[in-house]
């Protein structure tokens, strides 16, 4: 399958650590990228490649992989991290980009 | 500063056509693969199409293949999406998106989005 799946909802207490996961067979050979989207705004890239952050993204965001799962970890979640997080990768033949369904992160 | 200024959205009847444009600045457009990604109201992100730096390679989601055409004008730093035979399922906010490296690697800059509404 060329799909990637995410848990729809995750919550975290302010200042605690949270991990958002993305599952799919294509992740065994292709990296995931992660985007956050706040209401009424365009998505923003937060992680790409093995564990790379674009300029301006805080270092509390980190990534990891295990088998067919990619993970985004926020260490010390802040109120401004509340958003929908999407993972994205490519299919086996690199002819399609694939997005997960998104995870709505609530910071309590 | 990288800018992706989109235009061309609007209200269109089923079966009709529409062309989206994305005028870019602040980066080497001719050296960047580009994509269109859409988001239906209240839904998640859906990749629509991608194009290589020269335009020689184009990729399409199955849902739009044969109806949509992605193209670029490197002399004008502009990306296009020609949308034909539109249906209600194409109603969405369409984003022009710059690729970070090779086509499909990661999407590092997004336009503001333009709304396309298909309805009779």
């Amino acid at each position: 399958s060329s799909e990637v799946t995410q848990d729809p909802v995750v919550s975290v207490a302010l200042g605690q650590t949270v991990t958002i996961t993305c599952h799919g067979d294509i992740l065994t050979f292709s990296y995931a990228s992660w985007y956050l989207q706040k209401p009424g705004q365009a998505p923003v890239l937060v992680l790409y490649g093995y564990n790379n952050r674009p300029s301006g993204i805080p270092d509390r965001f980190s990534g990891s992989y295990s088998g067919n799962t990619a993970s985004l970890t926020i260490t010390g979640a802040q109120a401004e991290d509340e958003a929908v997080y999407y993972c994205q990768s490519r299919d086996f033949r690199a002819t399609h980009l694939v997005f997960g369904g998104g995870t709505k992160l609530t910071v309590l | 500063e990288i800018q992706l200024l989109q235009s061309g959205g609007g209200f269109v009847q089923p079966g009709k056509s529409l062309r989206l444009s994305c005028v870019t600045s602040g980066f080497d457009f001719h050296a960047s693969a580009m994509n269109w990604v859409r988001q239906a109201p209240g839904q998640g992100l859906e990749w629509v199409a991608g194009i290589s730096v020269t335009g020689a390679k184009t990729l399409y989601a199955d849902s739009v293949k044969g109806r949509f055409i992605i193209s670029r004008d490197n002399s004008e730093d502009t990306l296009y999406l020609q949308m034909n035979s539109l249906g209600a399922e194409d109603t969405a906010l369409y984003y022009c998106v710059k690729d970070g490296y090779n086509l499909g690697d990661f999407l590092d800059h997004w336009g503001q989005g333009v709304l396309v509404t298909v309805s009779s």
Side-chain angles (χ1 to χ4, degrees):
Chain A
S1 170
S2 295
E3 295 180 337
V4 288
T5 59
Q6 302 178 239
D7 292 330
V9 178
V10 171
S11 62
V12 61
L14 183 68
Q16 297 303 300
T17 296
V18 62
T19 296
I20 299 170
T21 55
C22 179
H23 305 279
D25 291 340
I26 58 177
L27 299 175
T28 59
F29 78 98
S30 184
Y31 287 129
S33 301
W34 291 92
Y35 309 85
L36 68 79
Q37 185 179 34
K38 298 181 180 180
Q41 298 183 19
V44 174
L45 177 70
V46 295
L47 278 178
Y48 64 96
Y50 183 72
N51 185 18
N52 300 299
R53 284 175 287 106
S55 173
I57 300 301
D59 60 6
R60 63 178 179 271
F61 291 88
S62 63
S64 62
Y65 295 83
S66 178
N68 69 345
T69 299
S71 299
L72 166 69
T73 297
I74 307 174
T75 304
Q78 303 300 303
E80 61 265 30
D81 299 335
E82 188 162 285
V84 178
Y85 289 80
Y86 294 94
C87 65
Q88 171 259 313
S89 190
R90 292 187 291 186
D91 69 355
F92 290 103
R93 293 178 297 166
T95 58
H96 291 69
L97 274 64
V98 179
F99 283 97
T103 297
K104 180 175 173 55
L105 176 67
T106 300
V107 180
L108 303 172
Chain B
E1 179 191 6
I2 292 177
Q3 292 193 342
L4 305 168
L5 297 178
Q6 301 181 226
S7 62
F11 189 94
V12 62
Q13 293 180 326
K16 299 297 186 181
S17 300
L18 204 62
R19 190 176 83 155
L20 305 183
S21 299
C22 175
V23 178
T24 73
S25 61
F27 67 101
D28 289 333
F29 180 76
H30 67 276
S32 297
M34 298 293 296
N35 297 268
W36 291 96
V37 174
R38 69 185 180 184
Q39 187 168 33
Q43 302 301 307
L45 302 174
E46 179 188 16
W47 172 78
V48 173
I51 188 167
S52 62
V53 296
T54 63
K57 183 177 182 179
T58 55
L59 304 174
Y60 296 94
D62 293 345
S63 58
V64 307
K65 194 169 186 177
R67 300 188 299 123
F68 289 13
I69 300 172
I70 186 172
S71 63
R72 63 191 297 158
D73 185 340
N74 285 350
S75 68
E76 297 289 338
D77 295 344
T78 302
L79 178 72
Y80 300 100
L81 185 67
Q82 176 67 41
M83 303 184 294
N84 302 320
S85 302
L86 285 162
E89 67 278 10
D90 298 314
T91 293
L93 189 63
Y94 284 74
Y95 292 102
C96 165
V97 192
K98 173 185 170 297
D99 233 295
Y101 191 57
N102 292 318
L103 182 56
D105 277 345
F106 54 92
L107 308 175
D108 65 354
H109 288 86
W110 297 62
Q112 83 279 13
V114 62
L115 184 62
V116 172
T117 303
V118 183
S119 176
S120 55

